[in-house]
Amino acid sequence: MIYLKSPSEITKIRAASQVIGELLDTLADMITPGISTWELDRFAESFIQERGGKPAFKGYKIPGLKPFPGTLCTSLNSCIVHGIPSKKAILKEGDIIGIDVGVIKAGYYGDAARTYAVGQISSEASRLMDATRTALAHGIQAAVDGARVGDISHAVGAYIASQGYYPADDLTGHGVGRQLHEDPQIPNSGKAGYGPRLEAGMTLAIEPMVNIGTNRVIEKGWEFFVADGSLSAHYEHSILVTSADAEILTKA
Ligand code: MG
């Protein structure tokens, strides 16, 4: 079921998303060598609560795993997504870290992610981050009323391939708003002209997860890693499909 949101629902989804945009901007200044992902997580939880929200990932359940313990997913280097914050994970010069966060506020959800450089990073890492951010921008541009989900997937996937990179297998974007994860799934590669039709009033989380060396993934509990140990980057926005350009909701 793909939900079309009413104007009052969109206002609430926008408000939840706004907290995320502000948080991701604020974290940029904290992401320096020596800080642990646990400290980032503690900061994020207070930040969200002070703004009337609750972390949407904390306590999230999937069969066979303990509920997710963090406010943030903190995914370092070859970790693609769902990295668990830890006192032992201390950021080092040259790392890249993907931070993914969901917020529920007044009953409605937003979801976004960004990858950050820790100090000075390699040109290879920097190029991967740029390509992933640009892939997201292409996906957002394709998300217009009357287009199809496959148009987003194709825009994202074709750009990733053009840069010589790989979208991580089995990990997709999704509808968002009334729930954290709604239909439709939004794969990061696919055929233009296929899939569900997009309509103004849909709220979607588009999220390319891009690997340098291979599309293959290895799951270790919650955490997904690139199978060959190469770097991965992740950018995500929650957006509103409109009759013109999509509105990016999770911008500060
Ligand atoms: Mg998401």
Side-chain angles (χ1 to χ4, degrees):
M1 175 79 194
I2 303 177
Y3 303 112
L4 287 180
K5 277 78 173 189
S6 69
S8 74
E9 289 182 302
I10 289 165
T11 300
K12 289 175 187 157
I13 297 166
R14 191 183 284 118
S17 298
Q18 200 69 46
V19 175
I20 297 173
E22 287 171 20
L23 173 59
L24 290 175
D25 275 5
T26 305
L27 287 172
D29 292 331
M30 298 176 68
I31 294 180
T32 50
I35 195 165
S36 71
T37 55
W38 183 84
E39 288 169 276
L40 297 174
D41 191 72
R42 295 296 77 217
F43 174 83
E45 185 163 330
S46 308
F47 187 99
I48 292 166
Q49 285 169 346
E50 283 161 13
R51 285 155 185 80
K54 281 194 297 189
F57 299 166
K58 194 168 194 167
Y60 193 84
K61 293 189 184 81
I62 57 173
L65 293 175
K66 290 188 181 151
F68 192 79
T71 289
L72 303 177
C73 294
T74 52
S75 305
L76 269 168
N77 298 322
S78 65
C79 184
I80 305 165
V81 282
H82 307 164
I84 295 178
S86 161
K87 287 181 181 171
K88 289 184 202 154
I90 314 249
L91 302 188
K92 298 188 311 293
E93 182 89 16
D95 284 339
I96 61 170
I97 180 168
I99 296 204
D100 192 350
V101 56
V103 165
I104 177 167
K105 185 173 172 182
Y108 287 82
Y109 291 86
D111 184 7
R114 212 182 276 182
T115 299
Y116 301 84
V118 182
Q120 197 67 36
I121 60 169
S122 67
S123 56
E124 184 189 41
S126 167
R127 196 174 90 81
L128 174 69
M129 286 170 56
D130 288 347
T132 309
R133 198 185 311 110
T134 304
L136 172 58
H138 284 293
I140 293 170
Q141 274 167 23
V144 293
D145 182 87
R148 291 182 183 268
V149 168
D151 295 321
I152 301 175
S153 301
H154 176 74
V156 170
Y159 184 75
I160 293 169
S162 78
Q163 300 303 299
Y165 296 136
Y166 301 87
D169 276 347
D170 304 331
L171 293 163
T172 71
H174 50 90
V176 66
R178 291 184 191 172
Q179 296 160 27
L180 179 59
H181 297 118
E182 297 173 358
D183 290 337
Q185 284 198 348
I186 306 173
N188 289 310
S189 64
K191 268 191 183 173
Y194 286 81
R197 183 81 69 185
L198 303 177
E199 284 180 61
M202 289 181 181
T203 43
L204 307 174
I206 302 177
E207 50 177 324
M209 292 152 272
V210 180
N211 307 338
I212 289 183
T214 176
N215 54 307
R216 287 179 303 114
V217 306
I218 295 175
E219 286 182 62
K220 295 180 187 165
W222 277 102
E223 298 179 328
F224 283 71
F225 293 87
V226 187
D228 68 356
S230 62
L231 294 175
S232 186
H234 180 202
Y235 288 83
E236 174 181 23
H237 272 306
S238 295
I239 63 148
L240 169 67
V241 179
T242 76
S243 54
D245 287 343
E247 176 187 339
I248 299 177
L249 300 170
T250 40
K251 227 178 207 171

